[in-house]
Each structure stands twice: as structure tokens, then as C-alpha cells.
Amino acid sequence: MITESNSLELRARTHAALGDPARLAIVDTLRLGDAAPGEIAQALGLATNLVAHHVKVLEATGLVVRTRSEGDRRRTYLRLVPDALAAIAFPALPPADRVVFVCTHNSARSQLAAALWARRSRIPADSAGTEPADRVHPRAVRVAGRHGLRLDPAHTAHVRDVLRTGDLVIAVCDNAHEHLPDQARPRLHWSVPDPARADTDEAFEAALTEISDRIDRLAPALTPRDTP
């Protein structure tokens, strides 16, 4: 049971954890996408042992959780707890001409993300895969239909045929994030579990829900390039 007293204590611990500039920078880095500790160290120019110390404080406060990569099992990703920072504004993002969602096979997560994005934002969206399948997963098509989203079962594409200058690239799986070319910038990473591994409607519904929540946080923070 959460009382007013322990709620105040939790808020105080959260403020204390964010009182260090390096920890606040780590939180800003994770606000819209997941990242490995080494990626954070590189992005912020911090020593890896210093990042490990700050991440430990953020984990103890409940601001950050750690998940293991479905691609390289030796790698872990840090994820911000969605409701932990309601009072903190989004970091500034550069305007985008288009949002491109990428997963390995372009058969489920990236397709669902592009369809959801089209419903939430006037910025155009597309999807692609690093190793595209021949078709969209039937469960993805079925689950999308239940939510009023339309997926073309026969349309998949390779990233090399889709990406162009001005795109914001969002990798919605670990393998795609780890294999995207370095020139695919700017980009974000959403570590969404692969629903095809379980191959149940429930797994695809869970992936859709997680992607939808992340889009709800990103869409208001992103402006089209033609907006003053």
C-alpha cells in the first residue's frame, strides 16, 4: 500500500537520483528509446565504469530497468520506466521528413508501428526490414484488423530501398538495431520483444500495445520539417 509518507520518500529519492548532471543526461538519452550501457557511454562521452555507477543508482530508484537482447544475448539494454518521469519534459528532437520503422523481417513490429503512427501523426511513416520476409505475418494482419489498422500482407521491403535523407529511423527490434548501418541517423531504438517467437495472438497484442504506448510519447515531441 502506497501512503502519502512513502510516496514523498519515493519522490525525494527520484529527485536525488536526478540531481547529478550525468544521471540526468542518461535519463534524457533513454526518454524516447532504449540503449546499451556502452552506447550511452559513447553518446555522452563518459567512462563505462562511471555509467555503470550512475545506472545502478537509477535502477535502485526504479527509474530504469534492464533487459537482455534477443539478438546478442551477451548484451543488455536499459529502458526508462514510462511513468517514472511524468514531470520531465521531452528532450528536443530535430524535425523529421518521415518516420521509418525497422525490424528484422518487416513482417510484424515495424508494420504495426507504421500503421499506428499514421493514425497518430501527420508526419508520413514507412517500414522496412534488414532481412525482409516474403510476406507480413498472418497474426500481425489479424491483430491489426481487430484494431482498425490495415496491413498489406504481400508488402515487405528492405531498408536499403526505403531509407532516405531526412528520415527518423526507429528500430523496433534488437537485431535490426544491431545491424543497421551507421549512416542510418538520426535513429531511436525500441526494444520490443518479437511476438513471432511465441506465435500467439496475445504476443502480437502485447507488441501492439507497447508500440502504441511508445508512439503516444514520441508523436507529440516530433515536428515535421516544414513546421516553423
Side-chain angles (χ1 to χ4, degrees), residues 67-96:
T67 60
R68 190 161 297 279
S69 168
E70 291 182 344
D72 182 352
R73 298 292 295 174
R74 297 167 299 178
R75 181 186 293 225
T76 60
Y77 291 109
L78 302 172
R79 174 183 299 186
L80 197 64
V81 176
D83 297 329
L85 295 172
I88 291 184
F90 284 98
L93 285 174

Side-chain angles (χ1 to χ4, degrees), residues 93-104:
L93 285 174
D97 293 330
R98 191 175 60 151
V99 176
V100 178
F101 296 94
V102 181
C103 64
T104 305

Side-chain angles (χ1 to χ4, degrees), residues 24-74:
L24 190 56
I26 291 171
V27 166
D28 281 346
T29 301
L30 296 173
R31 187 66 175 91
L32 298 176
D34 309 331
E39 293 172 334
I40 290 176
Q42 183 177 15
L44 300 179
L46 296 173
T48 55
N49 62 334
L50 191 57
V51 169
H53 164 71
H54 289 310
V55 166
K56 185 176 181 180
V57 174
L58 294 172
E59 285 183 297
T61 314
L63 292 168
V64 168
V65 294
R66 192 184 298 261
T67 60
R68 190 161 297 279
S69 168
E70 291 182 344
D72 182 352
R73 298 292 295 174
R74 297 167 299 178

